[in-house]
Amino acid sequence: MNDKEILDHLQEYLTPRRKMLFEKVLAERTNHLTVVAQDVFQLHNTSAVVRSCDVFGIQNIHVIEEKIPRRIDKEIAMGAQKWVDINRYTSTKACLKRLRAEGYRIIATSPHDDSQMLNDFDISSPAALFFGTEKDGLSEEIMREADASIKIPMYGFTESLNISVSAAIILQNLTSKLRSSGVDWQFTETEKTNIRMSWTKKTIKNSEEIIERFLNQ
């Protein structure tokens, strides 16, 4: 029994509308960009970033909890935590090592003068976008490791934005640019199959029991 047969069986339990919605969302999902939140103090901010990732089609979010272990607030995430993959780390080093191994550029988000303007950012190769704490921003370790840093144009007296607002603005800008580009940003068929399976299992109550019965037939 292969995974496709198991998935086909499970999807018999889905409504046609749900299956169509899965395909519509999958067509807009990407791993070309990924998001990293480092030790964000306010719980609702991380949860809001998770929600923005889902809204703008980012499948993976990485949460570094080196200093501040947190959970995702389900009310603020509005169920988005079911549809994106949340990868947790207890060290910044481990997160950086994994993302480097997967071919991502390390991109810091920082309002400092030497940062590149958001509109000028090159989206042609995979990028991991790092967002820091509300008070101190990103750690020195990430700033040293970063291949580049980007900032949102701002014209007022305030020099920074709330992390959840920054993430939403940056993701909207870069995913729009990505979708109008010639970059190969969409999921591979293998990635689509894996996500279909994950989403289907999360949608169907007692999915593991259904799979076990199917395998024992």
Side-chain angles (χ1 to χ4, degrees), residues 64-98:
I64 300 171
E65 301 170 308
E66 200 162 30
K67 299 176 182 177
I68 309 170
R70 309 296 275 174
R71 58 181 175 78
I72 299 300
D73 189 313
K74 294 181 180 180
E75 289 187 9
I76 295 169
M78 298 291 286
Q81 69 278 1
K82 288 178 61 176
W83 313 117
V84 301
D85 294 323
I86 301 171
N87 307 272
R88 297 178 183 274
Y89 307 82
T90 55
S91 82
T92 300
K93 184 177 180 180
C95 180
L96 288 167
K97 182 178 180 180
R98 175 180 170 181

mmCIF file of all heavy atoms in Angstrom, residues 64-98:
data_model
loop_
_atom_site.group_PDB
_atom_site.id
_atom_site.type_symbol
_atom_site.label_atom_id
_atom_site.label_comp_id
_atom_site.label_asym_id
_atom_site.label_seq_id
_atom_site.Cartn_x
_atom_site.Cartn_y
_atom_site.Cartn_z
ATOM 1 N N ILE A 64 12.385 30.396 17.010
ATOM 2 C CA ILE A 64 13.520 30.195 17.915
ATOM 3 C C ILE A 64 13.083 30.576 19.321
ATOM 4 O O ILE A 64 12.652 31.703 19.557
ATOM 5 C CB ILE A 64 14.734 31.030 17.478
ATOM 6 C CG1 ILE A 64 15.182 30.643 16.065
ATOM 7 C CG2 ILE A 64 15.891 30.855 18.461
ATOM 8 C CD1 ILE A 64 16.244 31.566 15.487
ATOM 9 N N GLU A 65 13.188 29.631 20.239
ATOM 10 C CA GLU A 65 12.759 29.847 21.621
ATOM 11 C C GLU A 65 13.944 29.633 22.568
ATOM 12 O O GLU A 65 13.861 28.890 23.530
ATOM 13 C CB GLU A 65 11.606 28.901 21.955
ATOM 14 C CG GLU A 65 10.397 29.096 21.041
ATOM 15 C CD GLU A 65 9.352 28.008 21.194
ATOM 16 O OE1 GLU A 65 9.712 26.828 21.106
ATOM 17 O OE2 GLU A 65 8.181 28.350 21.405
ATOM 18 N N GLU A 66 15.024 30.306 22.276
ATOM 19 C CA GLU A 66 16.250 30.155 23.073
ATOM 20 C C GLU A 66 16.080 30.747 24.463
ATOM 21 O O GLU A 66 16.528 30.179 25.455
ATOM 22 C CB GLU A 66 17.403 30.848 22.342
ATOM 23 C CG GLU A 66 18.771 30.377 22.768
ATOM 24 C CD GLU A 66 19.838 30.742 21.747
ATOM 25 O OE1 GLU A 66 19.684 31.775 21.054
ATOM 26 O OE2 GLU A 66 20.810 29.995 21.649
ATOM 27 N N LYS A 67 15.422 31.887 24.542
ATOM 28 C CA LYS A 67 15.236 32.567 25.817
ATOM 29 C C LYS A 67 13.797 32.520 26.304
ATOM 30 O O LYS A 67 13.541 32.523 27.505
ATOM 31 C CB LYS A 67 15.663 34.040 25.694
ATOM 32 C CG LYS A 67 17.126 34.225 25.326
ATOM 33 C CD LYS A 67 17.434 35.701 25.136
ATOM 34 C CE LYS A 67 18.888 35.919 24.719
ATOM 35 N NZ LYS A 67 19.174 37.350 24.473
ATOM 36 N N ILE A 68 12.866 32.508 25.357
ATOM 37 C CA ILE A 68 11.460 32.653 25.729
ATOM 38 C C ILE A 68 10.624 31.532 25.093
ATOM 39 O O ILE A 68 10.120 31.679 23.979
ATOM 40 C CB ILE A 68 10.901 34.013 25.275
ATOM 41 C CG1 ILE A 68 11.814 35.146 25.752
ATOM 42 C CG2 ILE A 68 9.484 34.223 25.808
ATOM 43 C CD1 ILE A 68 11.487 36.490 25.159
ATOM 44 N N PRO A 69 10.494 30.385 25.775
ATOM 45 C CA PRO A 69 9.634 29.332 25.239
ATOM 46 C C PRO A 69 8.176 29.766 25.278
ATOM 47 O O PRO A 69 7.692 30.245 26.294
ATOM 48 C CB PRO A 69 9.890 28.140 26.170
ATOM 49 C CG PRO A 69 10.389 28.748 27.436
ATOM 50 C CD PRO A 69 11.115 30.002 27.048
ATOM 51 N N ARG A 70 7.481 29.625 24.139
ATOM 52 C CA ARG A 70 6.092 30.075 24.056
ATOM 53 C C ARG A 70 5.252 29.029 23.334
ATOM 54 O O ARG A 70 5.768 28.147 22.661
ATOM 55 C CB ARG A 70 5.972 31.392 23.279
ATOM 56 C CG ARG A 70 6.906 32.491 23.736
ATOM 57 C CD ARG A 70 6.630 32.940 25.148
ATOM 58 N NE ARG A 70 5.585 33.944 25.205
ATOM 59 C CZ ARG A 70 5.065 34.436 26.317
ATOM 60 N NH1 ARG A 70 5.476 33.996 27.469
ATOM 61 N NH2 ARG A 70 4.138 35.356 26.288
ATOM 62 N N ARG A 71 3.955 29.174 23.451
ATOM 63 C CA ARG A 71 3.044 28.379 22.650
ATOM 64 C C ARG A 71 2.336 29.327 21.683
ATOM 65 O O ARG A 71 2.433 30.542 21.815
ATOM 66 C CB ARG A 71 2.021 27.677 23.546
ATOM 67 C CG ARG A 71 1.217 28.647 24.375
ATOM 68 C CD ARG A 71 0.232 27.969 25.279
ATOM 69 N NE ARG A 71 -0.419 28.938 26.138
ATOM 70 C CZ ARG A 71 -1.405 29.737 25.752
ATOM 71 N NH1 ARG A 71 -1.861 29.689 24.504
ATOM 72 N NH2 ARG A 71 -1.943 30.597 26.587
ATOM 73 N N ILE A 72 1.651 28.767 20.712
ATOM 74 C CA ILE A 72 0.920 29.588 19.752
ATOM 75 C C ILE A 72 -0.493 29.837 20.273
ATOM 76 O O ILE A 72 -1.194 28.909 20.663
ATOM 77 C CB ILE A 72 0.867 28.893 18.380
ATOM 78 C CG1 ILE A 72 2.290 28.681 17.845
ATOM 79 C CG2 ILE A 72 0.044 29.711 17.390
ATOM 80 C CD1 ILE A 72 3.091 29.954 17.657
ATOM 81 N N ASP A 73 -0.899 31.081 20.320
ATOM 82 C CA ASP A 73 -2.246 31.440 20.758
ATOM 83 C C ASP A 73 -3.227 31.136 19.636
ATOM 84 O O ASP A 73 -3.239 31.802 18.607
ATOM 85 C CB ASP A 73 -2.294 32.925 21.115
ATOM 86 C CG ASP A 73 -3.609 33.321 21.774
ATOM 87 O OD1 ASP A 73 -4.663 32.930 21.233
ATOM 88 O OD2 ASP A 73 -3.589 34.015 22.791
ATOM 89 N N LYS A 74 -4.042 30.122 19.835
ATOM 90 C CA LYS A 74 -4.925 29.647 18.767
ATOM 91 C C LYS A 74 -5.981 30.674 18.369
ATOM 92 O O LYS A 74 -6.398 30.734 17.224
ATOM 93 C CB LYS A 74 -5.596 28.337 19.190
ATOM 94 C CG LYS A 74 -4.609 27.186 19.340
ATOM 95 C CD LYS A 74 -5.303 25.896 19.732
ATOM 96 C CE LYS A 74 -4.299 24.764 19.866
ATOM 97 N NZ LYS A 74 -4.964 23.494 20.255
ATOM 98 N N GLU A 75 -6.417 31.488 19.322
ATOM 99 C CA GLU A 75 -7.439 32.476 18.989
ATOM 100 C C GLU A 75 -6.898 33.535 18.043
ATOM 101 O O GLU A 75 -7.561 33.945 17.097
ATOM 102 C CB GLU A 75 -7.978 33.125 20.271
ATOM 103 C CG GLU A 75 -8.845 32.192 21.100
ATOM 104 C CD GLU A 75 -9.493 32.915 22.269
ATOM 105 O OE1 GLU A 75 -9.402 34.155 22.310
ATOM 106 O OE2 GLU A 75 -10.085 32.234 23.126
ATOM 107 N N ILE A 76 -5.669 33.980 18.290
ATOM 108 C CA ILE A 76 -5.087 35.014 17.437
ATOM 109 C C ILE A 76 -4.657 34.436 16.104
ATOM 110 O O ILE A 76 -4.800 35.054 15.055
ATOM 111 C CB ILE A 76 -3.904 35.694 18.162
ATOM 112 C CG1 ILE A 76 -4.431 36.436 19.392
ATOM 113 C CG2 ILE A 76 -3.174 36.662 17.235
ATOM 114 C CD1 ILE A 76 -3.382 36.919 20.342
ATOM 115 N N ALA A 77 -4.111 33.200 16.118
ATOM 116 C CA ALA A 77 -3.695 32.559 14.867
ATOM 117 C C ALA A 77 -4.905 32.187 14.009
ATOM 118 O O ALA A 77 -4.757 31.923 12.812
ATOM 119 C CB ALA A 77 -2.855 31.325 15.169
ATOM 120 N N MET A 78 -6.100 32.153 14.614
ATOM 121 C CA MET A 78 -7.350 31.907 13.871
ATOM 122 C C MET A 78 -7.314 30.595 13.084
ATOM 123 O O MET A 78 -7.819 30.493 11.980
ATOM 124 C CB MET A 78 -7.625 33.075 12.916
ATOM 125 C CG MET A 78 -7.816 34.407 13.590
ATOM 126 S SD MET A 78 -9.347 34.498 14.544
ATOM 127 C CE MET A 78 -10.551 34.637 13.227
ATOM 128 N N GLY A 79 -6.690 29.561 13.673
ATOM 129 C CA GLY A 79 -6.634 28.266 13.018
ATOM 130 C C GLY A 79 -5.508 28.119 12.018
ATOM 131 O O GLY A 79 -5.303 27.043 11.460
ATOM 132 N N ALA A 80 -4.749 29.200 11.788
ATOM 133 C CA ALA A 80 -3.671 29.153 10.786
ATOM 134 C C ALA A 80 -2.623 28.116 11.134
ATOM 135 O O ALA A 80 -1.953 27.574 10.251
ATOM 136 C CB ALA A 80 -3.023 30.531 10.647
ATOM 137 N N GLN A 81 -2.453 27.814 12.445
ATOM 138 C CA GLN A 81 -1.442 26.857 12.867
ATOM 139 C C GLN A 81 -1.707 25.452 12.308
ATOM 140 O O GLN A 81 -0.803 24.619 12.272
ATOM 141 C CB GLN A 81 -1.332 26.817 14.401
ATOM 142 C CG GLN A 81 -2.526 26.222 15.126
ATOM 143 C CD GLN A 81 -3.655 27.214 15.319
ATOM 144 O OE1 GLN A 81 -3.575 28.368 14.898
ATOM 145 N NE2 GLN A 81 -4.713 26.777 15.971
ATOM 146 N N LYS A 82 -2.937 25.186 11.862
ATOM 147 C CA LYS A 82 -3.246 23.893 11.247
ATOM 148 C C LYS A 82 -2.690 23.778 9.842
ATOM 149 O O LYS A 82 -2.431 22.684 9.354
ATOM 150 C CB LYS A 82 -4.768 23.687 11.175
ATOM 151 C CG LYS A 82 -5.442 23.420 12.494
ATOM 152 C CD LYS A 82 -6.947 23.287 12.312
ATOM 153 C CE LYS A 82 -7.324 22.139 11.386
ATOM 154 N NZ LYS A 82 -8.801 21.978 11.296
ATOM 155 N N TRP A 83 -2.509 24.923 9.172
ATOM 156 C CA TRP A 83 -2.212 24.897 7.741
ATOM 157 C C TRP A 83 -0.787 25.272 7.392
ATOM 158 O O TRP A 83 -0.379 25.151 6.242
ATOM 159 C CB TRP A 83 -3.193 25.818 7.007
ATOM 160 C CG TRP A 83 -4.606 25.603 7.419
ATOM 161 C CD1 TRP A 83 -5.432 26.496 8.033
ATOM 162 C CD2 TRP A 83 -5.383 24.401 7.291
ATOM 163 N NE1 TRP A 83 -6.659 25.945 8.282
ATOM 164 C CE2 TRP A 83 -6.663 24.655 7.843
ATOM 165 C CE3 TRP A 83 -5.115 23.130 6.767
ATOM 166 C CZ2 TRP A 83 -7.664 23.691 7.873
ATOM 167 C CZ3 TRP A 83 -6.117 22.160 6.807
ATOM 168 C CH2 TRP A 83 -7.370 22.457 7.350
ATOM 169 N N VAL A 84 -0.021 25.754 8.356
ATOM 170 C CA VAL A 84 1.402 26.008 8.126
ATOM 171 C C VAL A 84 2.201 25.064 9.010
ATOM 172 O O VAL A 84 1.683 24.508 9.981
ATOM 173 C CB VAL A 84 1.788 27.475 8.420
ATOM 174 C CG1 VAL A 84 0.999 28.429 7.544
ATOM 175 C CG2 VAL A 84 1.590 27.811 9.892
ATOM 176 N N ASP A 85 3.467 24.878 8.661
ATOM 177 C CA ASP A 85 4.343 24.016 9.458
ATOM 178 C C ASP A 85 5.181 24.885 10.382
ATOM 179 O O ASP A 85 5.937 25.755 9.915
ATOM 180 C CB ASP A 85 5.248 23.187 8.546
ATOM 181 C CG ASP A 85 4.452 22.195 7.706
ATOM 182 O OD1 ASP A 85 3.468 21.642 8.227
ATOM 183 O OD2 ASP A 85 4.816 21.979 6.536
ATOM 184 N N ILE A 86 5.049 24.661 11.681
ATOM 185 C CA ILE A 86 5.778 25.434 12.676
ATOM 186 C C ILE A 86 6.960 24.603 13.165
ATOM 187 O O ILE A 86 6.789 23.540 13.770
ATOM 188 C CB ILE A 86 4.866 25.827 13.850
ATOM 189 C CG1 ILE A 86 3.684 26.667 13.330
ATOM 190 C CG2 ILE A 86 5.649 26.610 14.896
ATOM 191 C CD1 ILE A 86 2.608 26.936 14.370
ATOM 192 N N ASN A 87 8.166 25.085 12.886
ATOM 193 C CA ASN A 87 9.399 24.396 13.249
ATOM 194 C C ASN A 87 10.020 25.115 14.441
ATOM 195 O O ASN A 87 10.310 26.315 14.366
ATOM 196 C CB ASN A 87 10.375 24.413 12.072
ATOM 197 C CG ASN A 87 9.746 23.888 10.795
ATOM 198 O OD1 ASN A 87 9.766 22.697 10.539
ATOM 199 N ND2 ASN A 87 9.183 24.779 9.973
ATOM 200 N N ARG A 88 10.239 24.405 15.538
ATOM 201 C CA ARG A 88 10.706 25.033 16.772
ATOM 202 C C ARG A 88 12.171 24.678 17.056
ATOM 203 O O ARG A 88 12.600 23.559 16.780
ATOM 204 C CB ARG A 88 9.838 24.598 17.955
ATOM 205 C CG ARG A 88 8.380 25.041 17.826
ATOM 206 C CD ARG A 88 7.560 24.547 19.010
ATOM 207 N NE ARG A 88 6.155 24.899 18.884
ATOM 208 C CZ ARG A 88 5.626 26.050 19.282
ATOM 209 N NH1 ARG A 88 6.389 26.960 19.837
ATOM 210 N NH2 ARG A 88 4.341 26.295 19.116
ATOM 211 N N TYR A 89 12.896 25.649 17.623
ATOM 212 C CA TYR A 89 14.307 25.463 17.940
ATOM 213 C C TYR A 89 14.600 26.041 19.324
ATOM 214 O O TYR A 89 14.031 27.061 19.707
ATOM 215 C CB TYR A 89 15.201 26.201 16.933
ATOM 216 C CG TYR A 89 14.924 25.870 15.489
ATOM 217 C CD1 TYR A 89 13.877 26.506 14.805
ATOM 218 C CD2 TYR A 89 15.689 24.937 14.806
ATOM 219 C CE1 TYR A 89 13.609 26.205 13.479
ATOM 220 C CE2 TYR A 89 15.435 24.637 13.466
ATOM 221 C CZ TYR A 89 14.388 25.272 12.817
ATOM 222 O OH TYR A 89 14.119 24.979 11.504
ATOM 223 N N THR A 90 15.521 25.400 20.034
ATOM 224 C CA THR A 90 15.949 25.934 21.318
ATOM 225 C C THR A 90 17.284 26.664 21.186
ATOM 226 O O THR A 90 17.811 27.165 22.180
ATOM 227 C CB THR A 90 16.091 24.813 22.364
ATOM 228 O OG1 THR A 90 16.978 23.799 21.857
ATOM 229 C CG2 THR A 90 14.736 24.189 22.660
ATOM 230 N N SER A 91 17.836 26.717 19.971
ATOM 231 C CA SER A 91 19.056 27.488 19.763
ATOM 232 C C SER A 91 19.038 28.144 18.387
ATOM 233 O O SER A 91 18.543 27.561 17.412
ATOM 234 C CB SER A 91 20.301 26.615 19.902
ATOM 235 O OG SER A 91 20.575 25.893 18.726
ATOM 236 N N THR A 92 19.566 29.361 18.328
ATOM 237 C CA THR A 92 19.675 30.088 17.065
ATOM 238 C C THR A 92 20.604 29.353 16.115
ATOM 239 O O THR A 92 20.338 29.264 14.909
ATOM 240 C CB THR A 92 20.198 31.507 17.330
ATOM 241 O OG1 THR A 92 19.280 32.185 18.189
ATOM 242 C CG2 THR A 92 20.356 32.288 16.042
ATOM 243 N N LYS A 93 21.675 28.809 16.641
ATOM 244 C CA LYS A 93 22.666 28.100 15.830
ATOM 245 C C LYS A 93 22.038 26.945 15.062
ATOM 246 O O LYS A 93 22.321 26.739 13.876
ATOM 247 C CB LYS A 93 23.802 27.589 16.716
ATOM 248 C CG LYS A 93 24.927 26.919 15.954
ATOM 249 C CD LYS A 93 26.055 26.493 16.905
ATOM 250 C CE LYS A 93 27.182 25.816 16.142
ATOM 251 N NZ LYS A 93 28.283 25.400 17.081
ATOM 252 N N ALA A 94 21.184 26.183 15.724
ATOM 253 C CA ALA A 94 20.543 25.036 15.087
ATOM 254 C C ALA A 94 19.637 25.480 13.939
ATOM 255 O O ALA A 94 19.588 24.847 12.884
ATOM 256 C CB ALA A 94 19.744 24.240 16.114
ATOM 257 N N CYS A 95 18.927 26.573 14.162
ATOM 258 C CA CYS A 95 18.040 27.097 13.118
ATOM 259 C C CYS A 95 18.852 27.565 11.915
ATOM 260 O O CYS A 95 18.533 27.233 10.772
ATOM 261 C CB CYS A 95 17.202 28.244 13.678
ATOM 262 S SG CYS A 95 16.060 28.973 12.489
ATOM 263 N N LEU A 96 19.898 28.326 12.154
ATOM 264 C CA LEU A 96 20.742 28.822 11.070
ATOM 265 C C LEU A 96 21.363 27.666 10.289
ATOM 266 O O LEU A 96 21.410 27.692 9.052
ATOM 267 C CB LEU A 96 21.844 29.721 11.633
ATOM 268 C CG LEU A 96 21.416 31.095 12.144
ATOM 269 C CD1 LEU A 96 22.535 31.742 12.951
ATOM 270 C CD2 LEU A 96 21.004 32.002 10.988
ATOM 271 N N LYS A 97 21.833 26.656 10.995
ATOM 272 C CA LYS A 97 22.466 25.507 10.351
ATOM 273 C C LYS A 97 21.490 24.798 9.420
ATOM 274 O O LYS A 97 21.835 24.453 8.280
ATOM 275 C CB LYS A 97 22.983 24.530 11.413
ATOM 276 C CG LYS A 97 23.700 23.324 10.832
ATOM 277 C CD LYS A 97 24.231 22.422 11.952
ATOM 278 C CE LYS A 97 24.941 21.203 11.359
ATOM 279 N NZ LYS A 97 25.455 20.310 12.444
ATOM 280 N N ARG A 98 20.261 24.601 9.885
ATOM 281 C CA ARG A 98 19.271 23.919 9.046
ATOM 282 C C ARG A 98 18.926 24.737 7.807
ATOM 283 O O ARG A 98 18.866 24.204 6.698
ATOM 284 C CB ARG A 98 18.001 23.644 9.859
ATOM 285 C CG ARG A 98 16.888 23.054 8.998
ATOM 286 C CD ARG A 98 15.641 22.775 9.768
ATOM 287 N NE ARG A 98 14.544 22.438 8.878
ATOM 288 C CZ ARG A 98 13.300 22.168 9.287
ATOM 289 N NH1 ARG A 98 13.016 22.166 10.581
ATOM 290 N NH2 ARG A 98 12.349 21.899 8.418
#
